[in-house]
Amino acid sequence: MQTYTYVSQGKFELTEKPKPVLMHERDAIVKVTLASICSSDLHIKHGSVPRAVPGITVGHEMVGIVEEVGSAVSTVKPGDRVTVNVETFCGECFFCKKGYVNNCTDKNGGWALGCRIDGGQAEYVRVPFADRGLNKIPDSVTDRQALFVGDVLATGFWATRISEITGDDTVLIIGAGPTGICTLLCVMLKNPKRIIICEKDEIRIKFINENYPDVLTVLPSECLNFVQANSEHGGADVVLEVAGADSTFRLAWECARPNAIVTVVALYDKTQALPLPDMYGKNLTFKIGGVDGCDCEETLKLIAQGKINTEPLITHTYPLSKIDEAYDLFENKKDGVIKVAVDCQK
């Protein structure tokens, strides 16, 4: 079968591999119908994910059809359309029972697919702990509508959930990339008083203005003054940092009012400094980390109810045979790209 493989730092290639087989009673084999490219794939490509294993098939954002299940899998069956969670998790360890599935202590726990074991930019993928990591797609929801449930939408939903947003809040989201937009969609469900998005890319700003006209947009160079002018207490009540640029960590806490919550879900290429003398007295609460993707069933229901719609984020679709072109488009932000869908059966 065709797979997109991490060959070495800076090099991905479309290669042939054997179709995966069940290796454990909790495994499932999924025929991948649609996959997507994530910025985390680019982090692997450029060597900023040290745990990524050369030779693995990349891709951790996908939907498909269950083809085969292990003897211990009872939640899905062959023929089911499913989303695939970015994380694999046993459901039985201390962290899983607390809902911290990103920290599952199993050897395949956490972010394994497309990082430490073969992922889903391929015709087929083996999913460990399929009884936990696969969610059936409602009949009324298309593959394209469900494509981001297991990763960027899961991240946005989790970030929103832990940010304790209320109806009186001014919420600042830094970054209007795919994860930032998914975060916006989830923040909108909380109906805060005001939402501001900080973004430097003109195409992304245009996308926000056209699709979500009630959301305020601002450039990074103007963000601090703009937030202070459009909030009641000297800054945002909640800041969600989703950009991961060199300057955005500092911008996040600078734009927060005293005693605010700053939620950081961005993955940085470089070490970030926490200048405690500069921020002393702001009494901020930081929430930092990777997604605990355990709300996929809930987000699928919200999609089915018409309360979340991520399909507009898919601006381009490529067959798997032309995935090199898709990566070039996505990495270099060509042609107004937001997200790319990859048809893995073509």
Side-chain angles (χ1 to χ4, degrees), residues 66-86:
V66 177
E67 182 158 288
E68 187 179 2
V69 297
S71 59
V73 177
S74 60
T75 56
V76 295
K77 63 184 185 303
D80 285 342
R81 289 190 309 126
V82 292
T83 61
V84 181
N85 199 306
V86 63

Side-chain angles (χ1 to χ4, degrees), residues 235-255:
D237 302 285
V238 176
V239 180
L240 297 105
E241 208 298 74
V242 199
D246 288 344
S247 60
T248 50
F249 179 74
R250 184 179 184 95
L251 184 64
W253 66 260
E254 285 183 331
C255 289

Side-chain angles (χ1 to χ4, degrees), residues 21-29 66-78 126-127 129-131 134:
V21 297
L22 297 174
M23 298 175 63
H24 188 275
E25 63 182 2
R26 294 179 69 181
D27 286 352
I29 306 299
V66 177
E67 182 158 288
E68 187 179 2
V69 297
S71 59
V73 177
S74 60
T75 56
V76 295
K77 63 184 185 303
R126 179 183 68 89
V127 181
F129 304 123
D131 49 338
L134 298 181

